[in-house]
Amino acid sequence: MAIHLSRRTLLGLAAGIPASAALAACGSSGPGKDGDGGGAATYWHLSGQPQEGVRTGAVERFNEAGSKGRIEVTTFENDAYKTKIKTAIGAGKAPTIIWGWGGGTLRSYVQAGQVDDLTPWFDRNPEVKNRLFPSSFGAATVDGKIYAMPFESVEPIVLFYNKRVFDDVGVEPPQSWDDIMALVPRFNAEGIAPFSLGGQSRWTNMMWLEFLFDRIGGPEVFQAVFDGEKDAWSHPAAIDALTKVQDLIKADGFIKGFSSITADSNADQALLYTGKAAMMLHGSWSYGIQQTEGGDFVSGDGLGFMNFPPVEGGKGDPGNSVGNPAQYLSISSKASAEQKEIAKDFFATGVLGDQEVKEWIDTGAVPIAKGSEKLLAESESAEFLQFVYGIASNAKTFGQSWDQALSPTAAETLLDNIARLFQLSVSPQQFTDNLNEVIGK
């Protein structure tokens, strides 16, 4: 099975062919054509296989179907895309269809009047909305209105564990936070790190806080931050979560030297499948990487997986999840009426069709379209994919990764302070004070 490149890989690495080559290969008319009152709709998205092939395949099928018009595609490496799309949107010359991650970046587009409100269109086309996971619309919604079409795949954060290590030590997977803390000395006594962690990457540390905030206080705790409420980071549940993660660090819950380990190198995942660590909190994309790089670890039933357990006395629903609920497509407010109609027709008839759904599954991903259970069951990774599907389709709340939900300014402050929190160089109170200063920025 092909490796499924995660949002994290796409955010952290430049993948695929150079942007200049992509421009030539795709024959795009470029951003300047978008506001000229007519012509094909334009669509920019990321390069890098296997995702690029799935995305361009959907457009090719749409164009071949001879619908209301054509779509011209331009692909970019991740870093080049983020730079060019920001520049193009700021200049009022964005492509018709804007690919993105939703959340804080989408909110900034909305506040600048650069993308269309799609709520009326979804109201007129309820069948489009009803075939997608309900949890995918949170990161597409700003102030109660939908500004993006969720699509592609869902990537929840998963608690992975090494079944062989658990069997050797004679312990069971944790069913609560107390269980996690009780397992730490058991594994340390055997010379096995309780948890692997690529802490140098910072976002890996963030996943722990995302779950602890939710399990202790429920989704309302971070929602208050997202909504810009004054001093939202000072919620008692937040202080409790920050304290608990430092308790885990002080108890040697993580691999020694975790602050020097990078996630982009997959070194943290290698620690799990080689048995040097017992558990790892990571994105669902890790499954495909471990399957490819871990020898017989996955095929030999060495990999276990579960949702993050509840915290005793916590208010959060243990079925909730965090991660990447989907990827997102918006329509530029500067596009012509004709181009906007082509984009909407693509959303209705070209996005997540049967062939595309199958192709996402073949990459080891779970598409956000309902009704894919049969295809998932037929996959060689059926057990894991059905597990992910269950989380995504049943979660009452699927929280978006914080660094995408927040504005770029607040996200950078967040990641910097998370790194310091895990290095024990700031206290929970100092952390909250620092983050309260950038709420709403």
Side-chain angles (χ1 to χ4, degrees):
M1 183 183 71
I3 296 176
H4 175 50
L5 298 179
S6 68
R7 178 184 76 90
R8 295 299 177 190
T9 304
L10 297 170
L11 286 171
L13 300 174
I17 57 179
S20 57
L23 284 164
C26 295
S28 169
S29 56
K33 297 291 185 180
D34 218 37
D36 63 5
T42 52
Y43 173 22
W44 295 1
H45 63 67
L46 299 186
S47 60
Q49 299 297 347
Q51 288 88 346
E52 181 183 344
V54 179
R55 293 175 188 132
T56 56
V59 174
E60 289 169 358
R61 286 188 292 273
F62 175 81
N63 288 340
E64 290 170 1
S67 300
K68 295 181 180 179
R70 291 183 57 80
I71 295 174
E72 294 181 355
V73 172
T74 306
T75 62
F76 296 91
E77 296 175 351
N78 177 72
D79 289 343
Y81 176 77
K82 287 188 289 186
T83 299
K84 288 181 178 292
I85 195 66
K86 180 179 179 180
T87 301
I89 288 176
K93 295 185 178 181
T96 311
I97 301 172
I98 302 169
W99 188 99
W101 294 275
T105 301
L106 177 63
R107 179 183 285 264
S108 68
Y109 296 164
V110 172
Q111 292 172 338
Q114 298 289 357
V115 294
D116 278 1
D117 177 6
L118 298 178
T119 310
W121 182 79
F122 276 112
D123 289 344
R124 294 191 302 270
N125 298 274
E127 71 283 356
V128 177
K129 185 176 182 180
N130 291 339
R131 67 188 178 90
L132 305 177
F133 291 171
S135 58
S136 68
F137 281 88
T141 303
V142 178
D143 297 331
K145 296 180 179 180
I146 302 172
Y147 288 90
M149 168 82 174
F151 81 135
E152 295 194 3
S153 62
V154 61
E155 296 172 330
I157 305 305
V158 175
L159 180 56
F160 292 99
Y161 61 95
N162 188 317
K163 291 182 180 180
R164 297 166 182 169
V165 167
F166 271 76
D167 288 343
D168 289 344
V169 178
V171 292
E172 297 294 325
Q175 300 303 306
S176 67
W177 179 257
D178 282 353
D179 285 352
I180 285 177
M181 294 302 294
L183 285 170
V184 168
R186 295 290 301 274
F187 287 119
N188 279 327
E190 301 294 331
I192 299 167
F195 287 97
S196 176
L197 181 64
Q200 186 175 326
S201 298
R202 302 188 301 176
W203 58 263
T204 48
N205 306 348
M206 179 180 66
M207 297 185 292
W208 282 89
L209 295 181
E210 289 170 343
F211 266 123
L212 284 170
F213 271 53
D214 178 86
R215 294 296 189 262
I216 295 171
E220 297 81 10
V221 180
F222 181 73
Q223 186 64 41
V225 173
F226 182 72
D227 291 340
E229 294 184 14
K230 180 177 173 59
D231 295 331
W233 285 102
S234 296
H235 192 287
I239 297 294
D240 190 6
L242 296 164
T243 301
K244 278 184 166 55
V245 81
Q246 287 201 327
D247 288 343
L248 180 60
I249 295 165
K250 293 172 183 177
D252 294 327
F254 296 106
I255 186 79
K256 184 178 181 180
F258 67 84
S259 292
S260 300
I261 298 172
T262 64
D264 291 339
S265 65
N266 297 336
D268 51 350
Q269 299 171 73
L271 291 168
L272 182 72
Y273 62 70
T274 58
K276 294 179 181 177
M279 296 171 281
M280 177 183 69
L281 194 62
H282 218 298
S284 59
W285 58 82
S286 174
Y287 178 89
I289 295 172
Q290 294 181 69
Q291 186 179 53
T292 301
E293 299 181 0
D296 68 349
F297 181 57
V298 174
S299 62
D301 196 32
L303 178 64
F305 38 84
M306 58 184 289
N307 203 353
F308 196 88
V311 175
E312 293 79 1
K315 298 178 180 178
D317 189 314
N320 287 348
S321 188
V322 301
N324 307 322
Q327 289 73 46
Y328 297 90
L329 297 176
S330 296
I331 297 177
S332 170
S333 61
K334 309 302 182 184
S336 69
E338 177 185 356
Q339 291 166 330
K340 291 180 181 181
E341 285 305 308
I342 294 171
K344 291 173 182 176
D345 191 38
F346 178 60
F347 291 178
T349 67
V351 172
L352 286 177
D354 292 345
Q355 181 60 30
E356 184 182 352
V357 166
K358 182 179 182 302
E359 289 174 358
W360 281 119
I361 292 173
D362 287 344
T363 71
V366 174
I368 65 165
K370 297 177 184 175
S372 60
E373 295 95 331
K374 185 174 185 295
L375 289 173
L376 295 172
E378 294 171 351
S379 167
E380 64 182 45
S381 301
E383 182 183 4
F384 181 73
L385 295 180
Q386 288 173 318
F387 162 75
V388 171
Y389 182 92
I391 286 179
S393 59
N394 295 321
K396 293 179 181 178
T397 301
F398 194 120
Q400 188 184 26
S401 296
W402 289 354
D403 57 345
Q404 288 302 309
L406 296 177
S407 70
T409 298
E412 182 57 33
T413 300
L414 169 71
L415 292 170
D416 177 59
N417 276 273
I418 284 176
R420 294 167 66 191
L421 182 82
F422 273 67
Q423 293 162 4
L424 305 179
S425 63
V426 294
S427 68
Q429 187 60 56
Q430 290 170 323
F431 179 97
T432 58
D433 290 344
N434 293 340
L435 268 296
N436 280 333
E437 292 180 1
V438 295
I439 285 180
K441 295 183 179 180

